[in-house]
Amino acid sequence: MTLVTTGVVVLDCAEPEKLAEFYKELLGAEEVDAHAGRVEIRAADGFRLALRRDVNATVPSWPRPENSLQAHVEFVVDDVHDLDAVERRIVSLGGRRLETGDPSGPTEERGYADPAGHSFTVRRGTPTAPKQG
C-alpha cells in the first residue's frame, strides 16, 4: 500500500507570491493553493512547485564547488525549442543566467537563478550518463 501519493518541490523565499508569478509564467502553470505564506502551482504536465515564506531565506550560491551538494530544479525542453529564446524569456521574467562551468557534453544545459536567487537548469534532450565527480 502506498502511503505517499505525490511530491512537491518547495523553495523558501522572502516573497512567495512574487516568486510564484515568475514560475507561473515560465511554466505556464496555474495556482492551486495559496495560504499563510505559501503558494503552490501546478504545470500542465503535473509538476508541482510550492514557494514558502521564510523571512530569513538566504540566496543560494550554486554552482560554487563548496556548495556542490545543494539542490536545484531542472526543467527539460524538447528539441524543437531554441534555448536562446527560452533564455530570453527567463531573463524577461526577472531570472538571470549563471555561469555553470563546462557547457560541453551530450546534453546542452544552461544554469539560471530565479528572482529570489534559487538555481535551476534548463536542458534539452535526455542525459546519457550520471553526473561525474
Side-chain angles (χ1 to χ4, degrees):
M1 175 171 73
T2 301
L3 299 176
V4 177
T5 59
T6 192
V8 178
V9 174
V10 181
L11 300 177
D12 292 341
C13 59
E15 300 177 271
E17 299 83 5
K18 187 175 178 181
L19 193 56
E21 290 304 316
F22 171 82
Y23 282 108
K24 283 175 15 183
E25 288 294 320
L26 179 64
L27 301 172
E30 64 179 352
E31 189 172 299
V32 294
D33 188 28
H35 64 279
R38 186 178 187 276
V39 179
E40 186 174 323
I41 63 172
R42 181 179 53 230
D45 68 355
F47 175 74
R48 294 164 58 140
L49 179 67
L51 300 309
R52 186 181 70 101
R53 187 176 322 282
D54 178 353
V55 295
N56 296 315
T58 58
V59 176
S61 58
W62 181 84
R64 291 187 349 211
E66 61 271 23
N67 293 325
S68 63
L69 296 178
Q70 186 176 35
H72 71 276
V73 180
E74 180 177 89
F75 299 109
V76 180
V77 298
D78 57 35
D79 289 334
V80 300
H81 285 90
D82 174 8
L83 288 181
D84 291 333
V86 173
E87 181 168 312
R88 286 190 296 275
R89 180 67 174 149
I90 290 168
V91 171
S92 76
L93 294 170
R96 64 183 168 83
R97 177 88 186 258
L98 296 175
E99 293 302 323
T100 57
D102 184 13
S104 64
T107 305
E108 187 175 357
E109 181 177 280
R110 297 182 186 182
Y112 300 93
D114 68 23
H118 301 103
S119 58
F120 64 94
T121 57
V122 175
R123 70 172 173 83
R124 181 182 0 223
T126 304
T128 58
K131 180 178 175 182
Q132 301 294 312

